[in-house]
Amino acid sequence: MIRYRLAMVEAHRVLGRSLFERGPATPKKVAVVCGVLALLLLLIATAALHMGSEPVSREAVAEVLRTHLFGGAGEPTVSDTIVWRIRGPRVLLGLAAGAALAVAGVLLQALLRNPLAEPYVLGISGGAALGAIFAVLGFAELPLLRPLLAFTGAALVTALVYGLSRGRTGISTERLVLAGLILATLLWSAVALVLALVPNPHLRGLTFWMMGDLSGGGNGLLPLVLGIVFGAAAVAYAHARRLNLLMVGEEDARVLGVDVERVKTAAYLLASLLAGTIVSVAGAIGFVGLLVPHLVRMLWGSDNRLVIPAAALSGAILVVLADAVARTALAPRELPVGAVMASLGAPFFILLLRRA
Amino acid sequence: MLQVRDVTFAYERSARPVLAGVSLVVASGELVAVIGPNGSGKTTLLRLMRGLLRPQRGEVLWEGKPLGHFSPRELAQRFGVVLQEPKLGFPMTVLEYVLHARFPYSNGFGFESERDRQIALSALRLMRALEFKDRELAELSGGERQRVVLARALAGEPRALLLDEPTANLDVRFQVEMLALIRRITRERALSTVFIAHELNLVAEFADRVLLLKDGQVIACGPPHEVFTEERLRQAFEAEFLVDRHPLSGAPRITFVGPIPDRGGNPSGERTNGAASAPKFVLQRER
């Protein structure tokens, strides 16, 4: 009994220290923080399965999951269709979108050494959207081209923003935010223009997609999207220590033996890939990459060995939660999840800008 | 031993060279100061010595081998560099920052070992910065940050130290303490140390040798009592100085007298007949 008590006290101490301490990441701290976040994500994702315009009881959700995950004979029921065919993919897509956008934010922030960098704010999502629309217009029969062209659009805009915001003394916040704002406005106008002018049956319904929409559940691309997000996040994690040094300064990183150009290229490509992929299937969900990394750093410091996995998990939690709100707030009508995120994120962005 | 051999460097091909024909040898255990007016090429020289810039002519050698012979990781292990104050947009604790110096000893992944941690802590202890190891870098005062930055350079267990104004932002007592500490570490660990400074009297007191630069050229290089002469200082800084001996240490003591007035364009209206009769005491009280 006493031994049990001591173990509990010790566990409490480790948990408390890891959960509420900044500073260099340690394996223990990463394990504790990510473990707690993963548990939370699991709870919220399961809860999201039974929330919606058509309520499905917890027991029914559990039954559907048990049937599909562990095998078992069962007649296809209505709850089965709702939970496994409609809500499941949607929750998974939200999870992927949140994780991807949060990690893309972390990468862009390290690359530009600016906590305000984020795919939506910098117009990168706009570039990806335009790329995705071209794919739909020109090659509707090749769904794989959609994420590919979205990635190309995202990469082009990232390069453009980087070039535009870089002055002789490095990258200034003002130039960065202005360049992003202008590009975002321009690109989203182009998207709206194409949607309004081109009478293409494939484009119908894309207005909703433009504002961030998870209802498609990936349109058959879900396994690919999950694979890309997981892979890109893993590669990003492999660069975590180098990104830590890059965040202090390019010359500083070089002095410590970092191949700065390689790390910058990796961060740039991975961020574009993550943002492009998500936009192509879920439209523009803004501010995740801004809110999440900031909160994670505020709680646990800036060490990317912790920030990257913690931001991925927290981003997933946030978007799954936001989508649950979008589905239920005005049920049976649905709101675009991007609008829900923007109403959360925009005030936060203003707050950050005032502090920068 | 760090050797700079007849180095010439320009940022752009056509531009006037920032450094022209500069040579310098820094032995182990030696503390060399680089001084000169703003824009004389001091920081550029430091960057060249670390291999961050490549000279158009001449070469930089470490232990007799050109810097190009070493991998980026090897150079990072051998050189402790303080270039400028870090500008951080992200929260970061002091210990986290100092631990960055252990990166060249890692395989690029994973976490710092207990040994890395001990080395970082002892570097902080040496700089008397241990008590703020858990504080945010952004919350430190200028002087505290300067000590942390130097602690990070030392935490890399370097063989050479290249320091750009390690005494900037420090009050006079900390300036003396900082230089005394740098000199002690240079001797104890047999480092080749080069630092840039503007406080001529401190340089005269602490440096083994002094390199005096002007417009990218070496005006003088040698022990303080050879470099700090009224003639050479006037040439470098275009100002009048008095040089005598410090009554306690015997090192050269430099007193700033005043800028050399422009010929013909003297603001006070006094006529001067060239440098020979330049007024010795411009700093006297205004009438």
Side-chain angles (χ1 to χ4, degrees):
Chain A
M1 192 64 198
I2 288 177
R3 193 177 288 169
Y4 171 75
R5 280 259 178 94
L6 280 176
M8 286 305 285
V9 166
E10 171 66 16
H12 195 261
R13 202 175 57 83
V14 169
L15 210 69
R17 256 221 328 247
S18 305
L19 276 182
F20 304 103
E21 192 186 56
R22 292 187 190 176
T26 57
K28 201 190 271 174
K29 190 171 154 188
V30 174
V32 170
V33 169
C34 292
V36 169
L37 287 173
L39 211 64
L40 205 60
L41 176 60
L42 197 68
L43 284 174
I44 286 174
T46 325
L49 284 177
H50 89 97
M51 283 166 73
S53 48
E54 183 67 40
V56 179
S57 71
R58 273 168 224 272
E59 293 73 35
V61 169
E63 176 61 36
V64 170
L65 288 181
R66 198 167 48 238
T67 314
H68 283 277
L69 295 179
F70 304 110
E75 291 290 300
T77 58
V78 178
S79 0
D80 185 273
T81 312
I82 292 175
V83 170
W84 194 253
R85 302 254 168 262
I86 299 172
R87 282 187 201 158
R90 185 171 183 154
V91 167
L92 279 179
L93 184 62
L95 192 147
L101 294 171
V103 173
V106 171
L107 291 170
L108 288 171
Q109 285 150 21
L111 178 69
L112 299 163
R113 252 166 291 123
N114 196 313
L116 290 179
E118 195 261 357
Y120 189 70
V121 172
L122 295 183
I124 296 166
S125 303
L130 206 55
I133 283 194
F134 280 138
V136 173
L137 274 181
F139 315 94
E141 65 286 358
L142 296 171
L144 276 181
L145 267 183
R146 214 163 133 174
L148 193 69
L149 284 188
F151 162 60
T152 313
L156 285 175
V157 174
T158 312
L160 205 59
V161 164
Y162 190 74
L164 281 176
S165 58
R166 193 174 194 155
R168 226 179 305 157
T169 51
I171 294 165
S172 78
T173 302
E174 291 82 5
R175 287 176 77 112
L176 185 71
V177 172
L178 275 178
L181 178 80
I182 290 161
L183 283 172
T185 312
L186 185 73
L187 291 162
W188 284 113
S189 309
V191 170
L193 212 61
V194 173
L195 289 184
L197 292 181
V198 183
N200 186 312
H202 292 292
L203 289 181
R204 216 172 296 137
L206 281 190
T207 322
F208 209 68
W209 161 83
M210 217 173 100
M211 294 159 78
D213 176 23
L214 297 169
S215 61
N219 294 328
L221 292 177
L222 188 58
L224 178 75
V225 170
L226 285 170
I228 288 177
V229 171
F230 190 80
V235 177
Y237 191 72
H239 284 82
R241 239 181 132 168
R242 293 180 173 87
L243 288 167
N244 284 349
L245 303 188
L246 191 65
M247 268 169 33
V248 179
E250 276 184 35
E251 195 164 50
D252 229 64
R254 207 164 278 138
V255 159
L256 289 169
V258 176
D259 185 346
V260 169
E261 294 313 316
R262 215 192 76 191
V263 179
K264 276 168 66 181
T265 311
Y268 156 72
L269 287 177
L270 290 170
S272 307
L273 181 64
L274 287 166
T277 306
I278 293 309
V279 169
S280 73
V281 289
I285 305 173
F287 301 104
V288 180
L290 192 76
L291 265 160
V292 170
H294 190 83
L295 291 176
V296 167
R297 288 197 194 99
M298 214 166 73
L299 284 172
W300 301 299
S302 304
D303 194 326
N304 286 307
R305 290 170 292 191
L306 176 58
V307 169
I308 289 175
L313 290 165
S314 314
I317 292 172
L318 184 66
V319 172
V320 170
L321 216 54
D323 186 51
V325 170
R327 277 186 287 138
T328 49
L330 294 180
R333 294 194 59 189
E334 280 194 9
L335 304 170
V337 65
V340 175
M341 271 314 303
S343 55
L344 260 172
F348 186 76
F349 180 77
I350 294 167
L351 202 77
L352 280 187
L353 194 62
R354 281 182 64 93
R355 269 209 258 154
Chain B
M1 190 172 68
L2 184 61
Q3 260 175 294
V4 178
R5 255 198 216 151
D6 192 27
V7 157
T8 298
F9 177 82
Y11 279 99
E12 281 157 49
R13 202 165 276 234
S14 54
R16 200 173 61 88
V18 183
L19 290 170
V22 174
S23 294
L24 177 68
V25 177
V26 190
S28 299
E30 193 180 28
L31 185 60
V32 173
V34 179
I35 60 168
N38 293 329
S40 56
K42 304 183 294 290
T43 302
T44 304
L45 178 61
L46 223 60
R47 291 206 167 96
L48 281 160
M49 290 169 112
R50 172 56 182 81
L52 294 173
L53 299 172
R54 249 185 229 129
Q56 271 91 35
R57 223 186 60 215
E59 55 182 352
V60 181
L61 307 171
W62 171 251
E63 305 291 8
K65 278 182 247 159
L67 291 187
H69 257 71
F70 299 90
S71 69
R73 186 179 145 130
E74 287 171 327
L75 286 177
Q77 288 176 353
R78 282 159 181 75
F79 286 87
V81 183
V82 172
L83 278 172
Q84 74 274 69
E85 264 194 76
K87 262 190 299 171
L88 260 180
F90 304 95
M92 189 173 282
T93 67
V94 168
L95 181 61
E96 202 177 337
Y97 177 75
V98 173
L99 276 173
H100 284 176
R102 302 306 297 167
F103 177 77
Y105 295 92
S106 73
N107 57 7
F109 309 99
F111 295 86
E112 289 85 3
S113 66
E114 186 51 35
R115 185 167 170 272
D116 290 332
R117 223 180 131 79
Q118 288 309 323
I119 290 169
L121 290 175
S122 74
L124 279 168
R125 194 175 302 118
L126 194 63
M127 296 312 300
R128 288 199 221 108
L130 192 60
E131 73 259 33
F132 37 83
K133 72 175 168 65
D134 294 323
R135 273 172 55 196
E136 291 289 320
L137 212 52
E139 291 169 7
L140 302 182
S141 72
E144 289 169 336
R145 200 170 314 165
Q146 204 69 273
R147 278 143 71 194
V148 168
V149 169
L150 192 59
R152 188 179 77 155
L154 291 174
E157 299 182 301
R159 310 299 312 141
L161 273 182
L162 304 175
L163 312 171
D164 196 346
E165 299 198 45
T167 54
N169 295 322
L170 299 181
D171 67 37
V172 65
R173 198 193 111 201
F174 269 132
Q175 286 183 353
V176 172
E177 280 189 16
M178 178 70 96
L179 284 176
L181 191 61
I182 290 172
R183 183 164 71 178
R184 204 187 87 205
I185 296 164
T186 300
R187 300 272 194 272
E188 282 177 5
R189 303 188 179 182
L191 306 180
S192 302
T193 302
V194 180
F195 72 102
I196 294 173
H198 285 293
E199 302 83 4
L200 301 181
N201 280 301
L202 286 173
V203 168
E205 206 66 63
F206 285 99
D208 297 317
R209 276 187 311 126
V210 180
L211 180 76
L212 178 55
L213 283 178
K214 194 206 175 178
D215 295 334
Q217 293 185 327
V218 178
I219 301 252
C221 183
H225 67 268
E226 283 177 21
V227 173
F228 289 115
T229 65
E230 292 174 6
E231 178 54 40
R232 282 176 167 156
L233 288 174
R234 180 167 59 221
Q235 193 188 342
F237 291 96
E238 290 170 10
E240 292 290 339
F241 294 88
L242 284 178
V243 178
D244 56 2
R245 275 172 172 281
H246 191 286
L248 299 177
S249 68
R253 181 173 65 175
I254 298 106
T255 310
F256 181 71
V257 176
I260 300 173
D262 289 341
R263 277 174 218 176
N266 192 325
S268 67
E270 287 175 287
R271 277 202 61 77
T272 52
N273 304 318
S277 63
K280 271 271 175 195
F281 296 101
V282 179
L283 277 185
Q284 58 195 305
R285 196 188 285 263
E286 295 272 337
R287 279 149 300 175

